Amino acid sequence: MAKKIPPLNALRSFEAAARHCSFRDAADELCVSHSAISHQVKLLERYLGLELFLRKARSVELTRSGKLYYPILREAFEKISEGTESLLAPRRPKVLTLQLYSTFAIRWMIPRLSDFQRAHPDVSVRLTMSQIDVDFDHGEVDACIRVGRSGGKNLDHLLLFSNQLFPVCSPRTLEQHRLEKPEDLAQAPILQVYPSEEDWPAWLEGSGVQGVQPTAGLQFDSYDHALSAAMQGVGVALAMQPFVSRELSSGLLVEPFPAHRVDNPNRWYFVTRKDKAQQPKIQKFRDWLQSAIEADPDIAC
């Protein structure tokens, strides 16, 4: 006898609402009304005899039962989707959705992606850029590259590399502000990357420098923007390899204090959900990424 399962529409509605943490966004995804999602979720709750959402004035939140049920359904729908795709289009490239910081994407990944595509034409990489770390429980990203510390019981972290922090500026800024020792930064405009607000304090402390306020100057949402501003003589930005090799070798940027590089307290990881880590498309990209990093002389693994 076939096992009894709840109505499929109710399951789809709950999974979408749980993933978005929103009935409205779930309705938009499934092309139905907000009330239809609410009705289907209530139908599922009656079927199970459990409350899955806490309804608030302007939002919804998963209950303990909802938090337990959601990953089960998410994995089930993903397997149905992947199985259907394999059945209908066995030769179509598998899509790998990868989230990156814009600096890593622009200054390292994109120039090398064609090598991966030539080696693995059966995998199509879809890049998405964000300065905010992935929420794997409520997104459709397969993997990401992030800087920080490993953690998360349901996540697989592969250490890629460590690097060092060091200030850079244009030759004009170097001459204009007479940057001969780190303490001279107190008289220069500092360019801050606010999603990485711990980096300047880490360098200043590691270099024994006091009296410099990194938040007093211009603030940017990415290292790419801050480094571009530094090249134009706007101020002094913090840098890390492998993102400034070209600019340093060409002289567009200079390193005023080469003896004062400080180890970055955060490290770079390739991260995916543990239940996806063995998917062939993820394994192929992970292996290629490791080889590409090992081949880059500007990266100290």
Side-chain angles (χ1 to χ4, degrees):
M1 180 181 296
K3 293 182 179 180
K4 192 175 182 182
I5 62 172
L8 181 58
N9 281 342
L11 294 175
R12 289 185 67 209
S13 297
F14 167 72
E15 190 277 336
R19 176 159 36 85
H20 290 291
C21 290
S22 167
F23 284 12
R24 188 175 302 280
D25 290 346
D28 290 342
E29 177 183 318
L30 299 178
C31 299
V32 297
S33 66
H34 177 279
S35 61
I37 295 293
S38 180
H39 172 75
Q40 290 295 332
V41 170
K42 287 179 181 177
L43 178 67
L44 181 59
E45 289 176 323
R46 287 197 299 269
Y47 184 97
L48 298 173
L50 296 169
E51 190 175 31
L52 300 173
F53 282 103
L54 294 174
R55 276 82 166 174
K56 300 182 179 180
R58 295 183 178 276
S59 64
V60 293
E61 181 180 324
L62 287 170
T63 64
R64 182 176 181 276
S65 296
K67 290 177 181 178
L68 291 172
Y69 203 32
Y70 166 60
I72 296 171
L73 291 183
R74 178 189 64 197
E75 183 176 357
F77 279 115
E78 285 178 350
K79 286 184 176 180
I80 292 171
S81 176
E82 291 166 3
T84 303
E85 182 181 355
S86 298
L87 180 66
L88 296 180
R91 297 182 182 179
R92 183 186 302 169
K94 308 301 181 185
V95 176
L96 173 69
T97 302
L98 179 69
Q99 180 172 307
L100 305 172
Y101 303 124
S102 58
T103 302
F104 193 96
I106 294 168
R107 292 175 173 263
W108 195 89
M109 179 65 73
I110 291 175
R112 293 168 171 79
L113 262 185
S114 59
D115 294 338
F116 174 78
Q117 295 292 188
R118 281 194 294 270
H120 301 285
D122 58 322
V123 179
S124 176
V125 178
R126 177 185 295 156
L127 293 182
T128 176
M129 261 75 87
S130 177
Q131 307 308 110
I132 301 173
D133 287 340
V134 177
D135 180 356
F136 283 100
D137 288 334
H138 299 98
E140 298 181 357
V141 172
D142 293 307
C144 73
I145 295 173
R146 67 167 56 154
V147 62
R149 296 170 175 84
S150 62
K153 63 179 181 179
N154 296 319
L155 298 179
D156 182 83
H157 286 74
L158 172 68
L159 176 62
L160 297 176
F161 61 92
S162 303
N163 56 15
Q164 294 181 311
L165 304 170
F166 52 94
V168 295
C169 62
S170 69
R172 183 178 67 185
T173 299
L174 178 69
E175 181 178 356
Q176 181 180 357
H177 295 281
R178 298 180 180 180
L179 301 177
E180 298 177 356
K181 57 186 182 301
E183 289 76 12
D184 295 334
L185 288 173
Q187 310 303 320
I190 302 297
L191 308 180
Q192 168 76 297
V193 179
Y194 58 80
S196 303
E197 61 183 3
E198 298 176 354
D199 289 355
W200 262 116
W203 183 85
L204 292 168
E205 181 179 354
S207 299
V209 179
Q210 298 180 347
V212 176
Q213 299 296 329
T215 58
L218 290 174
Q219 300 190 32
F220 300 86
D221 69 348
S222 75
Y223 266 95
D224 185 60
H225 294 159
L227 292 170
S228 295
M231 281 190 288
Q232 298 176 54
V234 177
V236 181
L238 208 57
M240 62 182 78
Q241 290 290 35
F243 307 128
V244 289
S245 300
R246 183 174 54 192
E247 290 79 4
L248 289 174
S249 61
S250 67
L252 290 172
L253 287 174
V254 294
E255 183 179 358
F257 320 116
H260 291 272
R261 292 194 173 192
V262 172
D263 290 339
N264 189 344
N266 296 306
R267 300 195 286 179
W268 293 80
Y269 295 90
F270 179 80
V271 185
T272 188
R273 283 181 7 213
K274 285 185 177 179
D275 60 357
K276 281 191 168 187
Q278 301 307 313
Q279 288 185 356
K281 64 181 181 181
I282 292 178
Q283 287 184 315
K284 290 176 181 179
F285 189 84
R286 181 174 57 221
D287 292 346
W288 170 83
L289 179 62
Q290 282 187 287
S291 296
I293 286 173
E294 291 171 359
D296 189 338
D298 292 317
I299 295 180
C301 298

